[in-house]
């Protein structure tokens, strides 16, 4: 059996992002994986009981690995510390991935949870910087390969699928 892939729910059209929107990226390539039963849809924040919509949150002075090690915090735009909720979200994403047999994840870049290449810089000024969110970091620490939503072609190559549609 081919390995499964954890996919951010918002990338599949679910309106679960912090602002209640989706970020649908369901290409024909992802649809093929979904049709083969290889996609596990998951929203870490919803799994952790966070509401939709919710205030934007950013990692302050660090990235996901720092949050996991208690060296950085995640705060909402009003200053509320939500580190514990985001740590729970990360562990629930890992638990779902492991229980479902996922070897990879396709996550929403920029998110304090799911960002795999970039996260917002912690100033709430719409500026990104290199770094990983807390769930992406935890998944990587446990051997799960994480891809950003703009890396569908790379994901398909990892999955051993032929890339027959442009993404």
């Amino acid at each position: 059996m081919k390995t499964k892939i954890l996919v951010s729910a918002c990338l599949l059209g679910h309106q679960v992002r912090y602002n209640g929107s989706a970020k649908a990226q369901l290409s024909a390539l992802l649809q093929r994986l979904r049709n083969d039963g290889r996609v596990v849809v998951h929203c870490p924040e919803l799994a952790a009981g966070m509401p939709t919509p919710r205030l934007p949150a950013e990692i302050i002075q660090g990235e996901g690995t720092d949050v996991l090690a208690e060296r950085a915090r995640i705060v909402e735009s009003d200053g509320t510390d939500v580190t514990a909720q985001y740590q729970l979200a990360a562990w629930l994403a890992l638990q779902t991935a492991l229980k479902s047999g996922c070897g990879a994840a396709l996550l929403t870049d920029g998110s304090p949870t799911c960002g795999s290449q970039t996260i917002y810089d912690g100033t709430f000024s719409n500026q990104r910087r290199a770094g990983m969110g807390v769930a992406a970091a935890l998944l990587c620490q446990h051997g799960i390969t994480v891809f950003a939503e703009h890396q569908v072609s790379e994901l398909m190559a990892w999955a051993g699928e032929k890339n027959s549609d442009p993404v």
Side-chain angles (χ1 to χ4, degrees):
M1 183 172 135
K2 294 184 178 183
T3 188
K4 293 187 178 184
I5 298 153
L6 188 76
V7 178
S8 291
C10 62
L11 296 178
L12 296 172
H14 299 275
Q15 296 179 329
V16 294
R17 295 184 72 223
Y18 74 95
N19 59 5
S21 70
K23 197 171 185 179
Q25 297 286 320
L26 187 58
S27 70
L29 293 171
L30 282 177
Q31 186 61 51
R32 188 166 71 220
L33 289 175
R34 196 172 197 186
N35 291 344
D36 288 344
R38 295 180 65 189
V39 169
V40 176
V41 181
H42 184 76
C43 174
E45 292 93 345
L46 282 189
M50 294 182 210
T52 302
R54 57 192 166 274
L55 289 175
E58 296 186 9
I59 299 174
I60 306 300
Q61 298 180 341
E63 61 176 302
T65 55
D66 299 310
V67 173
L68 292 168
E70 301 285 337
R71 293 187 304 260
R73 311 301 293 164
I74 300 177
V75 300
E76 291 179 328
S77 58
D78 68 355
T80 302
D81 187 319
V82 288
T83 304
Q85 294 95 314
Y86 280 84
Q87 289 170 326
L88 175 60
W91 284 102
L92 292 171
L94 177 63
Q95 180 181 41
T96 298
L98 294 175
K99 282 186 176 181
S100 302
C102 296
L106 181 68
L107 304 177
T108 306
D109 211 27
S111 162
T113 309
C114 295
S116 63
Q117 295 189 344
T118 64
I119 55 175
Y120 287 93
D121 71 0
T123 64
F124 296 94
S125 60
N126 205 29
Q127 298 299 310
R128 290 188 190 209
R129 62 180 174 86
M132 295 185 107
V134 67
L138 188 62
L139 291 168
C140 285
Q141 287 176 356
H142 286 83
I144 296 169
T145 305
V146 178
F147 297 90
E149 74 267 17
H150 56 84
Q151 295 181 300
V152 174
S153 294
E154 292 92 333
L155 169 66
M156 295 306 285
W158 177 92
E161 298 289 326
K162 290 186 176 151
N163 186 353
S164 59
D165 84 86
V167 180

